[in-house]
Amino acid sequence: MDKQTVTIYDVAREADVSMATVSRVVNGNPNVKPATRKKVLDVIERLDYRPNAVARGLASKKTTTVGVIIPDVTNVYFSALARGIDDIAMMYKYNIILTNSDENGRKEVQVLNTLMAKQVDGIVFMGNDISEEVRKEFERSKTPIVLAGCVDDQGQMPSVNIDYTAAVEEATKNLIDHGNERVAFVSGSLDYPINKDYRLKGYKQALKKAGLRYDEKLVFETDYSYKAGQLLQPALQSVNATAAVIGDDELAAGVMNGVTDAGLSVPEDFEIITSNDTKLTEMVRPKMSSITQPLYDIGAVAMRLLTKLMNNEPVENKTVLLPYGLMKRASTH
Amino acid sequence: MDKQTVTIYDVAREADVSMATVSRVVNGNPNVKPATRKKVLDVIERLDYRPNAVARGLASKKTTTVGVIIPDVTNVYFSALARGIDDIAMMYKYNIILTNSDENGRKEVQVLNTLMAKQVDGIVFMGNDISEEVRKEFERSKTPIVLAGCVDDQGQMPSVNIDYTAAVEEATKNLIDHGNERVAFVSGSLDYPINKDYRLKGYKQALKKAGLRYDEKLVFETDYSYKAGQLLQPALQSVNATAAVIGDDELAAGVMNGVTDAGLSVPEDFEIITSNDTKLTEMVRPKMSSITQPLYDIGAVAMRLLTKLMNNEPVENKTVLLPYGLMKRASTH
DNA sequence: AATCAAATTGAAAACGTTTTCAACTTGATA
DNA sequence: TATCAAGTTGAAAACGTTTTCAATTTGATT
């Protein structure tokens, strides 16, 4: 073999033991005499034997690999989640395959199938939505799957999130408490359940509790991009919005820069609370107040949940809600 | 098998052909009669046969997987590179395994070995430095390896970069042409050849050509972080620096916010040119001028170079320098 | 020394696919 | 019809490791 020329057969022959014994040594099986073990380890070192993980995966039916599906690796929200996943995976001796889905339903199915073909032991799925095709694949999968930062409105999948409804309700309430009566809700696609059924719900609840009428003109649907945010200032002004709860940090940076570039002041003329508390909230000026999501922890807990599922360990709670907070910075009073 | 219960044996039996024929059909081998092919495809669809990529990898000695080593997935410089790699990999029917190295030499070796064990067909390595241990692993590897956004000062490895020396020279010249005589060089670790041997060299050349004396007090070594940049303002002021070429966008955002938070104006009191032209340069205020690196293209070209090496295609040029530019924004005159 | 139980080891099958080369089939030509 | 070349197919080995269960060894006890 041109990639890996020393096989278990070579080691066995040199050490004058069987392949089974070499395998036991390599895998830490206790049923090996210390002297035999030492002899084998010496040969392994001398020949620089490197076990072939592909062969091991086929024989043992475990690849110790976890597939992670990420919509966009350049988005810091998702990449911070991925860091949490990666670190816990490593702790439990798994490697991750990080695959871009581009938030494209077709590609999501494709990526899922690729990961399944590669016999990953489990999958962590990040995304904004679960399409019917993706859900079908989930249902037929024997490989455990956990959602991270992704809601399942049908409540079927194990998942780790924060309580987006309560978080947005609190952020909206904060702005209302500051005296804002025209609070905008700036969102990604309202086709996504996370936006329509969870975050918008929190927004509406805060309005209701404050005795404010819900005005759909204050709801803005975007593609989550900085550019889209930047272009929103005229529309926000035309509905007399004096504050906004915004669903993504880059989008919020766009809104904020659109507002300040237009000569208005944040927070004096317009208050902003964003949602992900990525490092961007500290880099822009003024610094942005944000719902605090423990991104790393969401990833970490999702991965831990997945290790439990993979090992058939008891799991008390398949839907985990982690704590959130509200970090006040300079974009609010 | 509990993960994948339909095997090639099941298909062969149902279709009344041999396993070899099923394999030929699955892999598009032309030596199959159309009628036989149709019969097999019908059975494949009926049984929903999913080939096991692990078994295929073992038998064919090709996994169609490429390992990508990334220092920090939350760093947009690297994640944009990764996008380019991923898209070209997909185009050539490869999947990538994206692995974090944390820019830690020991972990880099570990990650390399893991990827080799998983029999990846090739590796793209991103990092700031090639340690001796990593270089040893490169040398013993039979798997092709390409550097992306990483320089090899020994010139042994195939690599895709820009001409960092010329880029920094031009950026420094630009600041000098604006009348700055005290131009600072704000860098990552000077242990890294990319900083010490390439970028600093360009800085020195620009000074020399302008007849300015090199003053090492104008050279600042950091850990590349936003925080480190923010804290630099007093030191920059104490050496009377009026401008800076900065090696990373987050670092530059830190420097710039440190300067403006201290009450100075950019670019009036202090000019800044950063290096990576990530989207952050557009989000901060003032927008930052930057060396433009085609990050996506560096990744894409590196991946293309790797596909050539993996397929033993002729490669004219193992050291590829892509074009750079200078994007003037509001942090310079 | 004989017996027994526990520990250790090895042979061979298994994992699911690909590849090789001989055997077979088909179609064209004389 | 016989021959030949090209196309198609199948049996079995290969890939490198793990697992299973029988065989062997070892140590303790009587």
Side-chain angles (χ1 to χ4, degrees), chain A residues 48 50 83 102 121 140, chain B residues 48 50 83 102 140:
Chain A
D48 195 30
R50 306 297 183 99
R83 281 311 313 249
D102 297 326
D121 296 335
R140 65 190 296 244
Chain B
D48 196 28
R50 306 298 183 97
R83 282 309 312 249
D102 298 327
R140 64 189 298 247

Side-chain angles (χ1 to χ4, degrees), chain B residues 249-261:
Chain B
D249 290 358
E250 290 186 12
L251 178 60
V255 170
M256 193 173 72
N257 284 338
V259 168
T260 54
D261 289 350

